[in-house]
Amino acid sequence: MELPKKGEVVPLPRIREICEYYNLGELWRKIETDPPVKPFKSDGCSLWVDCWKGTDIYPACFIHDLKYWAGRKGEDMERFLADCALMMDVARLTRDLTLAETMFFGVRLGGHEILKQTFSWGFGRR
């Protein structure tokens, strides 16, 4: 599936299609029943590269951004699982465990909701 480009606003019907394609039914139910106030757009692999040694990792970062956009305050376990999924997806795509672990620790440190950055957990709800 071709994903929307970095910075492109993604309407809810397209988000539903993406969630269905990637088997993210629970995420879609969360978005459908309690949509974030801001429209969704991905910045790709925030403060990182979207391609590593010729391998496109943007799809992993896009899905991670979608989870962060829909995040709610205090969902520490959901955030942890989103970060773990990013790490596993990057490892699977690149076969580079060091890169995957580096990205995991980066999002754990820099993505907490209290930082209120444009890429922090729950950024669609602020």
Side-chain angles (χ1 to χ4, degrees), residues 37-57:
V37 294
K38 290 184 181 175
F40 174 70
K41 56 185 173 180
S42 174
D43 69 353
C45 301
S46 309
L47 307 176
W48 197 255
V49 296
D50 293 338
C51 188
W52 183 257
K53 296 181 180 179
T55 301
D56 184 13
I57 58 173

Side-chain angles (χ1 to χ4, degrees), residues 73-99:
K73 186 177 179 180
E75 290 182 323
D76 297 330
M77 182 57 71
E78 289 81 356
R79 179 174 166 250
F80 177 73
L81 293 172
D83 295 346
C84 287
L86 173 67
M87 179 177 63
M88 292 186 307
D89 288 346
V90 169
R92 205 172 6 258
L93 288 167
T94 65
R95 312 301 291 166
D96 187 331
L97 296 178
T98 301
L99 171 67

